[in-house]
């Protein structure tokens, strides 16, 4: 009980976090899985094939760090190998949460990492959120894909699958999942609106210094240069242009809408003759923005 909590309290925490994941729509049906360290060499984990919104304390499994079941009537989570991989590489991690929050998973499906310097809170807590390469769920491929990023990141997207977060306790891992989904929604709205002002690299470095002042523990610093090799596990790659003294830099990249209309030479049905934009009626655009803003709440 490295967290100082009793096993009964940790079982109750898993049930509560599972309920919240399900209530917020981060998991559907039997999706997702949760685990916590139970002492130095055991894990308490959600079982296979159960809805996370309706769990009871007796459902949990206890395994060792090699995945052998020590206790429980049910089999451990189908993504147990991914959880074991995290604990193996991150002795500081006490809890792991995996879910499929829809907006963040949309970015994972689109192959767009959440690595732009946009929100100060995200930069000070999670830093960048990369995408682990696609791997067949529940196979040995998935832990291998996660291994590349887990040393330097507390949260990542899993290509065409979902998201993974880790923390010093279960609620910390859960709140990082909330932060990722919230960040994904804000990023989506900004890109729908067609403009994203980025924090300058100088501002990013200033924020990084604040991590220490606020006692935020990050697994790795933000790389000094955004061209850093992403395979470098010692720092986090963040897209932040030089501001030359300014704190905000207008994003020069094309908006999502422009990218969509320019893709593969396929002209969308309502594209303007110039091919620059998709035309939406005022009503369609309002509905789109209203829906996105509603989801932010
Ligand atoms: Zn999954």
């Amino acid at each position: 009980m490295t967290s100082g909590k009793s096993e009964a309290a940790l079982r109750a925490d898993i049930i509560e976090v599972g309920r919240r994941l399900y209530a917020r729509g981060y998991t559907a049906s039997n999706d997702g899985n949760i685990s916590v360290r139970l002492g130095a060499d055991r894990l308490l984990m959600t079982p296979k094939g159960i809805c996370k919104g309706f769990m009871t304390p007796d459902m949990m499994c206890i395994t060792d760090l090699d995945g052998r079941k020590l206790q429980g009537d049910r089999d451990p989570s189908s993504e147990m190998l991914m959880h074991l991989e995290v604990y193996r590489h991150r002795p500081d991690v006490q809890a792991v949460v995996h879910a499929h929050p829809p907006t963040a998973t949309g970015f994972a499906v689109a192959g767009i990492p959440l690595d732009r310097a946009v929100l100060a809170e995200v930069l000070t807590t999670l830093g960048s959120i990369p995408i682990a390469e696609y791997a067949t769920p529940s196979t040995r491929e998935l832990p291998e894909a996660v291994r590349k990023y887990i040393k330097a990141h507390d949260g990542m997207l899993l290509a065409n699958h979902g998201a993974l977060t880790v923390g010093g306790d279960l609620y910390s891992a859960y709140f990082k999942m909330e932060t990722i989904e919230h960040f994904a929604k804000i990023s989506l709205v900004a890109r729908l609106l067609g403009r994203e002002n980025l924090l300058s690299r100088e501002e990013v470095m200033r924020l990084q210094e604040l991590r220490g002042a606020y006692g935020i523990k990050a697994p790795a610093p933000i790389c000094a240069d955004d061209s850093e090799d992403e395979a470098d596990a010692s720092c986090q790659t963040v897209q932040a242009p030089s501001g030359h003294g300014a704190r905000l830099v207008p994003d020069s990249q094309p908006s999502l809408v422009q990218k969509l209309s320019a893709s593969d030479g396929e002209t969308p049905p309502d594209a303007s003759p110039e091919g620059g934009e998709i035309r939406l009626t005022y009503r369609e655009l309002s509905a789109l923005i209203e829906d996105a803003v509603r989801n932010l709440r």
Side-chain angles (χ1 to χ4, degrees):
M1 286 159 287
T2 41
S3 65
K5 284 193 173 184
S6 69
E7 183 183 321
L10 292 171
R11 284 177 191 260
D13 284 351
I14 291 180
I15 289 166
E16 181 61 18
V17 165
R19 200 184 61 76
R20 285 170 191 253
L21 289 171
Y22 185 65
R24 293 185 76 102
Y26 292 4
T27 60
S29 182
N30 296 340
D31 298 344
N33 27 75
I34 305 164
S35 67
V36 295
R37 278 194 206 266
L38 195 61
D41 51 6
R42 294 184 307 156
L43 302 174
L44 186 63
M45 190 179 297
T46 51
K48 187 181 278 181
I50 212 83
C51 176
K52 305 303 164 297
F54 301 92
M55 295 189 292
T56 53
D58 56 295
M59 288 178 177
M60 307 306 158
C61 297
I62 296 178
T63 73
D64 64 17
L65 292 178
D66 293 317
R68 277 182 291 264
K69 188 169 87 171
L70 304 175
Q71 196 186 312
D73 296 333
R74 297 164 188 268
D75 286 336
S77 162
S78 53
E79 297 296 8
M80 177 177 68
L81 296 177
M82 176 170 71
H83 290 244
L84 297 175
E85 190 74 19
V86 173
Y87 291 114
R88 213 168 278 143
H89 291 282
R90 292 283 302 274
D92 60 310
V93 163
Q94 298 296 323
V96 176
V97 172
H98 163 56
H100 305 167
T103 315
T105 303
F107 276 80
V109 168
I112 303 171
L114 290 164
D115 63 353
R116 292 192 190 172
V118 173
L119 297 174
E121 292 83 355
V122 175
L123 286 162
T124 48
T125 54
L126 279 152
S128 75
I129 300 141
I131 305 182
E133 286 73 18
Y134 179 74
T136 309
S138 81
T139 67
R140 289 221 154 263
E141 290 173 12
L142 192 54
E144 280 167 25
V146 164
R147 189 183 307 148
K148 180 174 169 187
Y149 296 103
I150 195 60
K151 282 184 190 154
H153 299 86
D154 278 352
M156 68 185 81
L157 303 178
L158 309 173
N160 290 65
H161 182 170
L164 176 73
T165 53
V166 305
D169 61 64
L170 180 52
Y171 279 96
S172 154
Y174 166 71
F175 285 131
K176 284 172 195 163
M177 187 64 75
E178 279 196 352
T179 298
I180 289 181
E181 179 64 356
H182 198 234
F183 181 31
K185 285 174 178 169
I186 291 168
S187 296
L188 178 62
V189 172
R191 293 179 198 194
L192 283 171
L193 293 172
R195 190 183 307 160
E196 208 174 7
N197 292 319
L198 303 188
L199 301 179
S200 69
R201 181 141 296 269
E202 296 87 322
E203 181 66 7
V204 168
M205 291 303 156
R206 196 173 297 130
L207 287 167
Q208 183 161 245
E209 283 163 25
L210 288 179
R211 275 178 170 175
Y214 288 109
I216 297 167
K217 281 193 197 129
I222 289 162
C223 305
D225 183 346
D226 65 359
S227 62
E228 208 77 36
D229 179 5
E230 62 170 22
D232 181 2
S234 64
C235 64
Q236 302 186 340
T237 306
V238 169
Q239 288 188 48
S242 174
H244 304 292
R247 294 188 177 195
L248 285 179
V249 184
D251 178 26
S252 56
Q253 301 196 32
S255 74
L256 190 65
V257 171
Q258 286 164 334
K259 272 189 194 163
L260 276 173
S261 59
S263 65
D264 289 338
E266 280 251 17
T267 312
D270 293 324
S272 67
E274 297 79 25
E277 290 179 350
I278 292 173
R279 285 187 185 161
L280 297 173
T281 63
Y282 179 72
R283 201 171 166 170
E284 285 167 339
L285 183 63
S286 302
L288 206 59
I289 293 170
E290 262 173 34
D291 198 43
V293 170
R294 201 177 309 120
N295 277 325
L296 283 174
R297 298 207 180 110

